[in-house]
Amino acid sequence: MIEAVNLAKTYGEKRAVDGISFTVKPGMVTGFLGPNGAGKSTTMRMIVGLDRPTTGTVTVNGKHFAEHRDPLHQVGALLDAKAVHTSRSAYNHLLAMAATHNIPTKRVNEVIEMTGLGAVAKKKAGGFSLGMGQRLGIAAALLGDPQTLILDEPVNGLDPEGVLWVRNLAKYLASEGKTIFLSSHLMSEMAQTADHLIVIGRGRIIADAPIETIIAGKTGARTLVRTPSLPQLASLLAGSGVTLDSSENETLEVTGLDPRQIAQVAMDNHILVYELTPLSASLEEAYFNLTKDEVEYHSHTTAGLESVSAQASPEGR
Amino acid sequence: MSTTSMAKTPARSSAGSTGLTFGGVLRSEWIKFHTLTSTKLLVLFTFLAVIGVGVLSAWLRATAIEQVMKFGAGRPEAATGSGAPAMTMDQAESVMAAQGLNIYGIPNAGLQIGILVLGSLAVLLIASEFGTGMIRSTLTAVPKRLPAFWAKAIVLVVVSYVLTLVASLATFLISVPILDAYVISMGFDRDGVVSGIFLGGLYVAGVALIGLSLGTLLRNSAGGIMVLVALFFVLPFGTQLASLIPGDFWMHVNEYVPSVAGGRMLEIGHKDGFIDPAVGGLIFLGWILVFLVPAVAIFKKRDV
């Protein structure tokens, strides 16, 4: 259980985290989603006390992280895959970390096996690939078999097999009743792993809800309709609360009516409809809608496109 | 390989431990210290260099004493042609001592190398953690932070002290037969030898603490080592030059710089125009605190 209250962090003039409050509950995977620079890593660093909050507090299992008598058993954190001395072997790195809590060497060997580091454990960590570094970071996080696991961008640099492994591990540990908090800027990854989502943009929380609610909530259900009598059908469907969008010939996207209602209107007026497809909003779309105004670093090439799409959908925030 | 093995996440028992203890943190820092090949090589090199320089210095001092006895202090033309010595052994030794080259100081003659390398090693011990990001792992395991700092300090003090003690003793033992060849009697019974052997390590350990503090304050290996070298090897030259400036203040300022005060701590007896060895020790302690106190305060507070 992680509880943040009015947590804020200011670097000079810049407010990296702007007074956020949230709770991460045990027994599920909570995703922390946001664009680059949104404040995800800063928030996670404040949870484990590496950064001092400017204002507000954050506790883990009821106490400030530093006040726990067995920090590594409370929280395992992967905040930065490169938090390793480059000239020390992976095995010795883990051994030194384990020693602080008198964790037996047996456990060091276990996490090495679990993370698939066996073959490279005696090699210098500085020569590791991004993926291997990531596995070492996860091994260190698992060392104390912690109640709460905090993983910042855990799948960065992992191969598909590693991505699947992290996903399964997170779900498995959550099913064991542990608190799992993982950040990502990849929506697709969150869609497959998280049960609950906290979306952050420019240091503020813009959504905190179960993942289904976020997917369903922001974009209403849409239906793709293909018909040769497009203008006729469009005029019949038009009405309050209905949005129509036609991007190509004989194709209409309808929001505000379900497929059954559309089919009824078409049949009543003897209009041929040769496709009627419900479009479920992807998390990706939901995410873009949520963070449209919160993205810190727009790339220049898409800046123009974004303004076009913003005009096209006036309901955008 | 890992996809299948994750399913059997081990039961809590295997990760069971007594929790965070200072003994554990100390053991962790010791593991970190001795698992870097570069550190081990550096320590071995320092050990050999301290002894080598010390023994070489013993031989040079012995030949110098022989010269002084034969020809007198720096005035070869004054030497009597009769072959009779110009000075007794005691006189020659005091001529040398006036230049800061005590016979009893031979066990610590190689100490300059020791403070240069171990001081730099101390800077590296913490600055490299900041440089590589290791510090974030360290402080996640020890979120109260200060135990990690003190554990590093203890490892450094013990390593510096033991290394210097053994090296001084070895320097002494090797130097005895060399000095003997010049009919200079050297033994544990000579005033200042035993105390020098035991105090030398304290001086080096103190320099290591200053190095650790500099590494913590600057978080940068190169910068920390530069300041350390400036403090111990450049500053004394500067203050020595400054002593030529008229006025009492500039005459005495040299005695108070860390290397001179710390070096004085290893000597015995009164020396004209110099502070007492005990006072030198206290001044050196003051220098340690000047760097250590802010380092501890910043290590506790600053974001990493």
Side-chain angles (χ1 to χ4, degrees):
Chain A
M1 177 89 99
I2 302 168
E3 287 169 291
V5 182
N6 284 324
L7 199 60
K9 180 72 187 178
T10 312
Y11 295 111
E13 289 289 289
K14 188 175 146 54
R15 270 178 100 70
V17 175
D18 198 357
I20 62 174
S21 301
F22 62 87
T23 304
V24 182
K25 296 188 191 73
M28 60 166 97
V29 178
T30 303
F32 198 28
L33 187 63
N36 292 332
K40 300 186 298 287
S41 299
T42 305
T43 303
M44 287 181 154
R45 277 203 303 272
M46 284 193 283
I47 296 173
V48 292
L50 293 179
D51 280 9
R52 188 172 283 258
T54 309
T55 57
T57 54
V58 58
T59 57
V60 185
N61 306 332
K63 280 187 198 174
H64 286 289
F65 178 60
E67 282 159 16
H68 282 289
R69 294 180 61 186
D70 52 353
L72 284 186
H73 297 310
Q74 297 294 334
V75 177
L78 164 76
L79 296 179
D80 178 350
K82 293 286 170 208
V84 179
H85 198 297
T86 40
S87 309
R88 193 175 287 122
S89 73
Y91 176 78
N92 283 329
H93 170 72
L94 293 171
L95 205 59
M97 285 198 70
T100 58
H101 284 58
N102 306 295
I103 294 169
T105 310
K106 188 171 149 252
R107 176 66 183 169
V108 172
N109 293 320
E110 270 173 12
V111 296
I112 286 174
E113 282 311 308
M114 279 170 71
T115 50
L117 284 172
V120 294
K122 302 276 177 181
K123 297 214 170 96
K124 284 183 181 181
F128 280 16
S129 66
L130 185 55
M132 278 300 169
Q134 206 74 7
R135 283 167 187 268
L136 177 56
I138 294 170
L142 293 175
L143 209 50
D145 192 18
Q147 286 304 304
T148 300
L149 199 61
I150 298 174
L151 305 174
D152 193 5
E153 305 273 1
V155 300
N156 254 12
L158 285 184
D159 49 23
E161 184 254 344
V163 171
L164 186 66
W165 173 72
V166 168
R167 205 179 284 159
N168 290 338
L169 178 74
K171 286 178 181 167
Y172 171 77
L173 292 175
S175 74
E176 297 264 281
K178 301 199 164 151
T179 308
I180 312 294
F181 192 37
L182 44 95
S183 81
S184 180
H185 62 278
L186 300 171
M187 310 124 254
S188 51
E189 184 49 41
M190 285 294 162
Q192 298 188 65
T193 316
D195 305 305
H196 191 95
L197 266 191
I198 296 174
V199 184
I200 187 172
R202 287 204 190 167
R204 264 168 300 188
I205 288 180
I206 46 187
D208 182 351
I211 197 151
E212 304 82 28
T213 314
I214 291 194
I215 293 175
K218 275 291 171 177
T219 46
R222 288 174 305 146
T223 309
L224 180 79
V225 184
R226 285 190 206 272
T227 170
S229 327
L230 187 76
Q232 202 189 343
L233 183 63
S235 63
L236 285 164
L237 291 175
S240 67
V242 178
T243 318
L244 301 169
D245 195 7
S246 178
S247 51
E248 48 184 297
N249 273 348
E250 306 198 343
T251 303
L252 192 63
E253 274 188 35
V254 184
T255 314
L257 292 171
D258 64 26
R260 193 191 166 86
Q261 291 170 306
I262 298 167
Q264 190 66 53
V265 170
M267 195 181 86
D268 291 349
N269 295 281
H270 303 287
I271 292 169
L272 173 69
V273 170
Y274 60 89
E275 186 180 344
L276 199 57
T277 311
L279 298 173
S280 67
S282 68
L283 179 59
E284 215 136 313
E285 289 170 76
Y287 173 77
F288 277 130
N289 275 330
L290 283 168
T291 60
K292 200 166 345 188
D293 304 320
E294 312 289 346
V295 178
E296 184 103 6
Y297 308 106
H298 285 290
S299 39
H300 281 294
T301 48
T302 60
L305 293 173
E306 295 236 356
S307 61
V308 170
S309 67
Q311 281 166 1
S313 53
E315 87 279 7
R317 294 160 43 100
Chain B
M1 48 189 166
S2 46
T3 328
T4 47
S5 57
M6 65 82 23
K8 48 178 175 67
T9 300
R12 189 172 173 84
S13 60
S14 59
S17 75
T18 54
L20 187 61
T21 61
F22 187 70
V25 178
L26 197 56
R27 207 157 52 82
S28 170
E29 289 301 332
W30 173 242
I31 292 170
K32 284 198 237 166
F33 186 86
H34 76 76
T35 51
L36 288 181
T37 316
S38 54
T39 306
K40 279 191 282 196
L41 286 175
L42 216 56
V43 166
L44 180 71
F45 162 78
T46 314
F47 181 72
L48 296 176
V50 168
I51 296 172
V53 171
V55 169
L56 191 68
S57 167
W59 175 67
L60 286 173
R61 285 180 206 193
T63 53
I65 284 175
E66 189 182 45
Q67 294 294 307
V68 171
M69 277 170 69
K70 260 192 200 147
F71 305 114
R75 288 180 295 126
E77 72 277 10
T80 54
S82 65
M87 279 189 192
T88 64
M89 171 85 64
D90 284 351
Q91 283 171 321
E93 279 185 20
S94 53
V95 166
M96 296 294 292
Q99 297 180 22
L101 298 171
N102 297 305
I103 287 296
Y104 71 77
I106 278 173
N108 288 325
L111 229 54
Q112 293 294 314
I113 295 285
I115 65 170
L116 178 63
V117 184
L118 286 171
S120 305
L121 188 66
V123 173
L124 282 172
L125 193 70
I126 188 127
S128 72
E129 286 212 12
F130 282 105
T132 57
M134 176 67 202
I135 194 75
R136 288 190 284 279
S137 293
T138 302
L139 296 185
T140 308
V142 191
K144 282 197 198 307
R145 297 189 176 193
L146 289 190
F149 184 89
W150 295 126
K152 277 186 200 302
I154 290 172
V155 167
L156 272 174
V157 165
V158 170
V159 167
S160 309
Y161 186 80
V162 171
L163 183 142
T164 313
L165 183 74
V166 177
S168 296
L169 201 61
T171 308
F172 169 80
L173 294 175
I174 299 171
S175 301
V176 169
I178 295 174
L179 294 172
D180 203 42
Y182 290 85
V183 210
I184 300 168
S185 78
M186 180 66 164
F188 286 117
D189 53 350
R190 188 186 270 266
D191 282 347
V193 167
V194 173
S195 65
I197 288 174
F198 279 100
L199 287 176
L202 285 186
Y203 177 43
V204 178
V207 178
L209 283 179
I210 292 176
L212 181 70
S213 306
L214 287 172
T216 307
L217 290 167
L218 299 173
R219 299 185 168 193
N220 177 295
S221 307
I225 292 171
M226 251 170 65
V227 174
L228 187 86
V229 169
L231 197 63
F232 280 87
F233 295 90
V234 181
L235 184 65
F237 277 111
T239 51
Q240 213 156 25
L241 282 179
S243 67
L244 299 174
I245 300 171
D248 270 1
F249 176 78
W250 290 108
M251 187 128 107
H252 291 288
V253 79
N254 186 46
E255 297 167 41
Y256 295 89
V257 301
S259 55
V260 179
R264 180 71 181 127
M265 178 173 83
L266 309 180
E267 298 179 352
I268 50 164
H270 178 75
K271 205 157 133 190
D272 274 343
F274 263 92
I275 48 176
D276 279 343
V279 179
L282 286 175
I283 291 168
F284 184 62
L285 183 67
W287 276 109
I288 296 174
L289 294 177
V290 162
F291 293 98
L292 192 64
V293 171
V296 168
I298 277 178
F299 189 73
K300 173 83 183 166
K301 293 228 163 181
R302 206 154 73 175
D303 292 348
V304 296

